Amino acid sequence: FPVTIKGKELAVKSQQTGAGVGDIIKMERAFSAANVDPSYVTNILAWMARSKYKTAQYQALPESKQEKSGASKGVMHAPTFFNKLGLKASEMKTKSEMEAFIQLGSAIAAIKSPTDRATAAMSIFHMNGERLLALFSNPRAMDLLREKLTGTAKILEQQSFKLRAAYERYEMIRPP
């Protein structure tokens, strides 16, 4: 029953993050292609959802208050870097976590200086920023985020919640 187990895992991750199962599958593939542990996907997607919300709140503040709340002990927080990267909260808010992640990753990858690129990634994604630099700088991995799903991945995307239910029913009747 490996497919039902994977379907259950994807359905749970989708419920935890609010992201679609297809987006989770794409991110896991991209992370693997960039040699980044796919177990970080759930944390990154949850962080993207929170960050989009906080950025929108930050950008709604008057500029004088943005400056006061924009830095903490010398390290800028995500909304400040979103602004520096030319990303607008009003646009980011309407995008899925996956679309926002791709846009953010592309903006970080476009930074010329490796030091500035690392600073941006670490300031936005904290400890995960260092890991994500490998993904953002890998064109094939970034392409995997944009591709449409086919085959088994498409079936998992469409049927994950049914597979989860089947797995849970099996667990109830399985002998000890």
Side-chain angles (χ1 to χ4, degrees), residues 109-135:
I111 297 172
K112 301 276 187 250
S113 162
T115 304
D116 291 343
R117 208 170 29 249
T119 300
M122 294 289 286
S123 293
I124 293 170
F125 293 104
H126 307 288
M127 297 300 287
N128 290 319
E130 183 180 355
R131 295 178 187 103
L132 293 176
L133 283 173
L135 173 71

Side-chain angles (χ1 to χ4, degrees), residues 33-170:
N35 294 319
V36 177
D37 184 353
S39 67
Y40 294 111
V41 168
T42 306
N43 292 342
I44 297 298
L45 286 169
W47 183 90
M48 286 298 301
R50 281 191 313 272
S51 182
K52 283 177 22 182
Y53 174 76
K54 287 181 180 180
T55 299
Q57 283 184 320
Y58 171 81
Q59 289 185 333
L61 293 172
E63 269 189 54
S64 60
K65 289 190 179 187
Q66 283 183 10
E67 290 173 15
K68 289 179 184 174
S69 68
S72 168
K73 297 180 183 171
V75 178
M76 291 189 186
H77 67 329
T80 305
F81 269 102
F82 278 31
N83 288 340
K84 287 186 174 226
L85 293 170
L87 304 174
K88 295 185 179 176
S90 58
E91 293 172 12
M92 295 288 276
K93 213 165 87 170
T94 62
K95 296 179 183 298
S96 70
E97 280 69 29
M98 172 67 90
E99 292 168 332
F101 181 78
I102 291 170
Q103 188 175 6
L104 187 56
S106 297
I108 290 172
I111 297 172
K112 301 276 187 250
S113 162
T115 304
D116 291 343
R117 208 170 29 249
T119 300
M122 294 289 286
S123 293
I124 293 170
F125 293 104
H126 307 288
M127 297 300 287
N128 290 319
E130 183 180 355
R131 295 178 187 103
L132 293 176
L133 283 173
L135 173 71
F136 298 149
S137 63
N138 184 324
R140 176 65 188 134
M142 291 300 285
D143 286 344
L144 286 170
L145 294 174
R146 295 180 186 96
E147 286 181 2
K148 291 192 180 227
L149 296 175
T150 59
T152 305
K154 185 69 176 170
I155 293 168
L156 282 169
E157 177 186 31
Q158 295 169 341
Q159 304 297 326
S160 64
F161 288 93
K162 289 180 183 176
L163 291 168
R164 177 185 182 183
Y167 178 81
E168 288 171 352
R169 280 194 289 275
Y170 169 74

